[in-house]
Amino acid sequence: MSRNPKRIPSMVKNRQLVEKRRGQMIRGACDLFVRKGFHKTTTREIARECGLSIGTMYEYIQSKEDVLYLVCDYIHSELEKRLKNALAETGTGREGLTKAIAQHFKVMEEMSDYVLLIYQETKSLPKEAMSYVLKKEEEITFLFEEILRRGIQDGTLTLTPSSVKLMAHNIMVLGQMWTFRRWALKQHYTLEEYTRRQTALLLDKCTHEEQGREVQ
Amino acid sequence: MSRNPKRIPSMVKNRQLVEKRRGQMIRGACDLFVRKGFHKTTTREIARECGLSIGTMYEYIQSKEDVLYLVCDYIHSELEKRLKNALAETGTGREGLTKAIAQHFKVMEEMSDYVLLIYQETKSLPKEAMSYVLKKEEEITFLFEEILRRGIQDGTLTLTPSSVKLMAHNIMVLGQMWTFRRWALKQHYTLEEYTRRQTALLLDKCTHEEQGREVQ
Amino acid sequence: MSRNPKRIPSMVKNRQLVEKRRGQMIRGACDLFVRKGFHKTTTREIARECGLSIGTMYEYIQSKEDVLYLVCDYIHSELEKRLKNALAETGTGREGLTKAIAQHFKVMEEMSDYVLLIYQETKSLPKEAMSYVLKKEEEITFLFEEILRRGIQDGTLTLTPSSVKLMAHNIMVLGQMWTFRRWALKQHYTLEEYTRRQTALLLDKCTHEEQGREVQ
Amino acid sequence: MSRNPKRIPSMVKNRQLVEKRRGQMIRGACDLFVRKGFHKTTTREIARECGLSIGTMYEYIQSKEDVLYLVCDYIHSELEKRLKNALAETGTGREGLTKAIAQHFKVMEEMSDYVLLIYQETKSLPKEAMSYVLKKEEEITFLFEEILRRGIQDGTLTLTPSSVKLMAHNIMVLGQMWTFRRWALKQHYTLEEYTRRQTALLLDKCTHEEQGREVQ
DNA sequence: CATGAATGAGAATTCATTCAT
DNA sequence: GATGAATGAATTCTCATTCAT
């Protein structure tokens, strides 16, 4: 779990208030960033959108980039939360993986704009913040590694250990792909179709690959 | 083929000169955009980097966004060119697909920074230019569709027609994934390993999927 | 004596409290102004440094400039106090003047930073406050005029009356000079050396200048 | 001589133009700084005053502090130039010193506001620039050291070598004092009177002090 | 009396674009 | 065709001061 989220200093002491105001900021900024992108959104717009004066806004952040970090962090947390919730209701093994993938894809559909935002603006973050965001992404990927490993353990998935990490990334990316290729994919497939087909692709592999004839 | 590349107007009439100068601009701007991103690069920097004065530069473009378009267009053309070259030496059917995928991944490795650039800055293009760039992306995807179709035709690939498009996109994305997830993947896999494993994933599907029991 | 010290209005009625709080403010602000200058010091910093909240601080002043006035006034008072204390132990005539000058220089050394502060920030005061501060400076100069006059009276100093004022200013300035030229002087002279030499300069004049051949 | 004046980078290449524009800036800024002080003068005011747009102004400087440096440097150069001009017509020895002092004081009178400006704003300069400005001040002081030394050589001044530096500083300061104590001095003395009296003070010392009975 | 969150006018600086030479 | 000085709207961020609690 993310043990050391980058702390954004605030001039305001009251923790609850900080939480509340930053919530406002995230809500307002998210929309704007999705619509116009980070660089084309001005601080004044952000302030207006979230119902704060610029002065007040700057009591809770140190720079415009902090807002981007707050937003990216929020999105990742939200993704993680939703995915975890979904996975909670999910069994294990092959069956569980199928459901997990479906849930993941569903979350991607729901948070389409936000996932896209992360893809496009993460690099605008300052070094340190970017590292943290990438770490968060990795943690989410771990969730799928776990599922895969448990499936191997209970024998319903036949995957070599060295493939686990890659397969987890594949699951992540084939989900995200639904957001950043939607301009093409939506013309030909519904989410259900897409899910069925990609699941087949991923599961086939996880079923046929046997220890003995591992792909080096 | 790109039938209607967005024409960027130039004050200068001499076609050859326009070509030459824009070549300079693309070379200079590419590096800068990769290093600093589009928004953090100034027109002055671009001009300096490509050995033109700002005045002169503006004789060949109308706005900074034109440079981004030129760069994105160049990268896509380069990608297409390299991929086509690679595919030329490639056979057909299952065999050909394997080689094509490997070539595609190799090109991704070589043009890693550029592919990333496209992923992150395409959305900064004006509407029209963006559409054109996406169309270009689609065309490249078509190349794989072609290969897949020919493989189906000659019987070495057993894929349902409705899966072709998706599989082509999958090939594209699993290649690009090597660039935008390199921070994680390179720690665990070499390009060769990565290629072998992903090819197995993709080909398995293209071999096992039979007309009769098509995934709906 | 300063008959009409500019009154700084306070919201708080309790005189003692006002005195105490303003004491805190002066102590904190002095250091900050010396280190960073008046303009580069923020009210927040002042408040923090002196252990008050900004809200509370503003109960005792009306504007940031009031703090500067308070500080300047404090420094002048302190200078005057120390000088008077020193002069109290000092005899009269030539002998007394020598000691007075030495004490003055010693005070300058001790309050070096503060004297410098006054030199540099007095002009940042609002008109009225500045006048008052300059008057204070004049009063301190008077102290030396007094000493000079008494020396003339008792015959140990032979100075024409019209030179008295100038000589008093000279004493003041040659003392302050030790603060605002310390970057050069300290490299070549110790305070003792400096005092000896400057005293010689000043006293020679006060001894040789005779009524008859007054410098017009 | 100032061998390494801090170079202020300019975006504009044409040297002559840079010289001309900076001349405008200095003229405009000087007046404003004298009237309102550095911190209370805005960049827009400076730009307006010197007939440039802010954009254009920033082509010739990097920050507002650069303007202050330009101004301080200009004032010191002007002081040095005028003093050197004056000293050129001046003889040597006791006679020369007398004239030199008079010229110095005259320059102080003429440049009263500017000298005051330097006294008050030098500390607002960034470290490096401040060092350079102080060095310039020292160089001007050297001019008087030279005169004093030549006077010692030709026997018309009887001053111990170790007093030379201090005496040079004294001359400098008693001149500058006419600017920063003018609020008091002008009420009692004309410049001529002031010059006569201070010259007497300084020259007496330079005449009476003999090698044998040097003030330690 | 004390607090500290809120405010917004105002500050410095940047940078894409133009246009006279 | 080439140049680069000029422009000023736009942007981020600061900070003295107020006022409800």
Side-chain angles (χ1 to χ4, degrees), chain D residues 1-207:
Chain D
M1 300 307 125
S2 326
R3 286 285 165 241
N4 50 351
K6 182 178 171 333
R7 279 258 164 275
I8 306 272
S10 165
M11 291 275 80
V12 176
K13 303 298 167 192
N14 183 335
R15 283 288 184 95
Q16 288 201 349
L17 193 53
V18 172
E19 223 51 40
K20 180 181 157 196
R21 293 279 182 254
R22 288 192 175 165
Q24 286 176 265
M25 288 171 51
I26 289 166
R27 257 189 305 286
C30 252
D31 279 7
L32 284 168
F33 291 170
V34 163
R35 243 184 300 151
K36 321 180 48 173
F38 172 67
H39 285 103
K40 287 192 183 157
T41 303
T42 69
T43 51
R44 303 190 103 85
E45 284 174 313
I46 299 172
R48 190 182 323 122
E49 189 77 11
C50 60
L52 301 173
S53 66
I54 352 157
T56 300
M57 191 171 91
Y58 269 92
E59 292 282 296
Y60 296 91
I61 54 165
Q62 310 236 76
S63 74
K64 192 186 166 194
E65 280 168 344
D66 282 351
V67 183
L68 180 58
Y69 172 73
L70 249 24
V71 161
C72 287
D73 188 44
Y74 163 76
I75 293 175
H76 263 128
S77 298
E78 191 64 22
L79 286 173
E80 196 179 23
K81 195 185 76 186
R82 293 202 193 187
L83 189 58
K84 278 185 172 168
N85 276 352
L87 298 187
E89 306 161 10
T90 272
T92 54
R94 197 181 196 284
E95 185 77 11
L97 181 58
T98 312
K99 283 186 184 160
I101 291 172
Q103 293 293 0
H104 171 48
F105 284 21
K106 192 160 145 266
V107 171
M108 289 298 109
E109 163 84 356
E110 286 163 12
M111 304 198 52
S112 195
D113 287 336
Y114 295 161
V115 173
L116 212 49
L117 179 58
I118 287 218
Y119 256 86
Q120 288 163 346
E121 303 291 9
T122 295
K123 70 103 203 344
S124 298
L125 287 170
K127 277 267 130 52
E128 197 201 359
M130 192 172 94
S131 299
Y132 174 65
V133 167
L134 291 184
K135 186 162 292 169
K136 203 78 180 274
E137 178 78 17
E138 208 162 16
E139 281 169 25
I140 299 179
T141 310
F142 280 149
L143 295 177
F144 287 105
E145 285 192 46
E146 277 310 302
I147 298 180
L148 287 168
R149 284 213 185 79
R150 272 181 289 156
I152 294 174
Q153 215 116 37
D154 71 15
T156 54
L157 295 178
T158 54
L159 197 68
T160 61
S162 64
S163 289
V164 168
K165 200 164 271 292
L166 181 58
M167 203 51 69
H169 277 286
N170 281 339
I171 295 170
M172 288 293 284
V173 168
L174 293 191
Q176 291 166 352
M177 168 180 166
W178 181 249
T179 75
F180 61 69
R181 292 233 146 191
R182 61 182 167 186
W183 50 271
L185 297 172
K186 282 216 169 178
Q187 287 174 16
H188 301 285
Y189 309 98
T190 64
L191 176 61
E192 288 68 40
E193 244 177 286
Y194 180 78
T195 304
R196 218 179 302 123
R197 290 171 189 275
Q198 299 293 58
T199 304
L201 178 70
L202 291 162
L203 273 197
D204 250 38
K205 195 66 209 159
C206 299
T207 314

Side-chain angles (χ1 to χ4, degrees), chain A residues 5-213:
Chain A
K6 184 179 173 326
R7 280 259 164 270
I8 306 273
S10 165
M11 292 276 78
V12 175
K13 303 298 167 192
N14 183 335
R15 282 289 185 97
Q16 289 201 348
L17 194 51
V18 172
E19 223 52 40
K20 179 181 157 196
R21 292 279 182 254
R22 288 193 175 164
Q24 286 177 263
M25 287 171 52
I26 289 167
R27 257 189 305 286
C30 251
D31 279 6
L32 285 167
F33 292 170
V34 163
R35 242 183 303 149
K36 321 180 48 173
F38 173 67
H39 284 103
K40 287 192 182 155
T41 303
T42 69
T43 51
R44 302 189 105 85
E45 284 174 312
I46 299 172
R48 190 182 325 123
E49 188 78 12
C50 61
L52 301 173
S53 65
I54 353 158
T56 301
M57 190 171 91
Y58 270 92
E59 292 283 296
Y60 296 91
I61 53 165
Q62 309 237 75
S63 73
K64 190 188 167 192
E65 281 167 344
D66 282 351
V67 183
L68 180 57
Y69 172 73
L70 250 24
V71 162
C72 287
D73 188 44
Y74 162 77
I75 293 175
H76 263 127
S77 299
E78 190 65 21
L79 287 175
E80 197 179 21
K81 196 184 75 187
R82 293 202 192 187
L83 189 57
K84 279 185 173 168
N85 277 351
L87 299 187
E89 308 162 10
T90 271
T92 52
R94 197 178 195 285
E95 186 77 12
L97 182 59
T98 311
K99 282 186 185 159
I101 291 171
Q103 293 295 1
H104 171 48
F105 285 19
K106 193 161 144 268
V107 172
M108 288 299 110
E109 164 86 353
E110 285 163 13
M111 303 198 53
S112 194
D113 287 336
Y114 295 162
V115 173
L116 214 47
L117 179 58
I118 287 217
Y119 256 85
Q120 288 163 346
E121 303 292 8
T122 294
K123 69 103 203 342
S124 298
L125 287 169
K127 278 269 128 55
E128 197 200 359
M130 192 172 96
S131 300
Y132 174 66
V133 166
L134 291 184
K135 186 162 293 169
K136 203 77 180 277
E137 178 78 19
E138 209 163 15
E139 281 169 24
I140 299 179
T141 310
F142 282 149
L143 296 178
F144 287 105
E145 285 192 46
E146 278 308 304
I147 298 179
L148 288 168
R149 285 213 185 79
R150 272 182 288 155
I152 294 174
Q153 216 114 38
D154 71 16
T156 53
L157 296 178
T158 54
L159 197 67
T160 60
S162 65
S163 288
V164 168
K165 200 164 270 291
L166 181 59
M167 204 51 70
H169 278 286
N170 281 340
I171 295 170
M172 287 293 284
V173 168
L174 293 191
Q176 291 167 353
M177 170 180 164
W178 181 250
T179 74
F180 60 70
R181 291 231 148 193
R182 60 182 167 187
W183 49 271
L185 297 173
K186 282 216 169 176
Q187 287 175 17
H188 301 286
Y189 310 97
T190 63
L191 177 61
E192 287 68 38
E193 243 177 289
Y194 180 78
T195 305
R196 219 178 303 122
R197 289 170 189 275
Q198 299 293 58
T199 305
L201 178 70
L202 291 162
L203 273 197
D204 249 39
K205 194 68 210 158
C206 298
T207 313
H208 299 344
E209 185 173 281
E210 283 164 39
Q211 305 279 350
R213 50 177 182 103

Side-chain angles (χ1 to χ4, degrees), chain A residues 39 119 121 137 162-163 165-166 169-170 177 180-181 188-189 196-198 201 205 216, chain B residues 39 65 119 123 137 162-163 165-166 169-170 177 180-181 188-189 196-198 201 205 216:
Chain A
H39 284 103
Y119 256 85
E121 303 292 8
E137 178 78 19
S162 65
S163 288
K165 200 164 270 291
L166 181 59
H169 278 286
N170 281 340
M177 170 180 164
F180 60 70
R181 291 231 148 193
H188 301 286
Y189 310 97
R196 219 178 303 122
R197 289 170 189 275
Q198 299 293 58
L201 178 70
K205 194 68 210 158
Q216 273 184 287
Chain B
H39 284 102
E65 282 166 343
Y119 256 85
K123 68 104 203 339
E137 178 78 17
S162 65
S163 288
K165 201 165 270 292
L166 180 59
H169 278 286
N170 280 340
M177 168 180 166
F180 61 69
R181 291 233 148 191
H188 301 286
Y189 309 97
R196 218 177 305 123
R197 289 170 190 275
Q198 300 291 59
L201 178 70
K205 195 68 209 160
Q216 271 184 290

Side-chain angles (χ1 to χ4, degrees), chain C residues 39 65 119 137 162-163 165-166 169-170 177 180-181 188-189 196-198 201 205 208 216, chain D residues 39 119 137 162-163 165-166 169-170 177 180-181 188-189 196-198 201 205 208 216:
Chain C
H39 284 102
E65 281 165 343
Y119 256 85
E137 178 79 17
S162 64
S163 288
K165 197 164 273 294
L166 181 59
H169 278 286
N170 280 341
M177 168 179 165
F180 60 69
R181 292 232 146 192
H188 301 285
Y189 309 98
R196 219 178 302 121
R197 289 170 192 276
Q198 299 293 58
L201 179 70
K205 194 67 210 162
H208 298 346
Q216 273 187 286
Chain D
H39 285 103
Y119 256 86
E137 178 78 17
S162 64
S163 289
K165 200 164 271 292
L166 181 58
H169 277 286
N170 281 339
M177 168 180 166
F180 61 69
R181 292 233 146 191
H188 301 285
Y189 309 98
R196 218 179 302 123
R197 290 171 189 275
Q198 299 293 58
L201 178 70
K205 195 66 209 159
H208 298 344
Q216 272 184 289

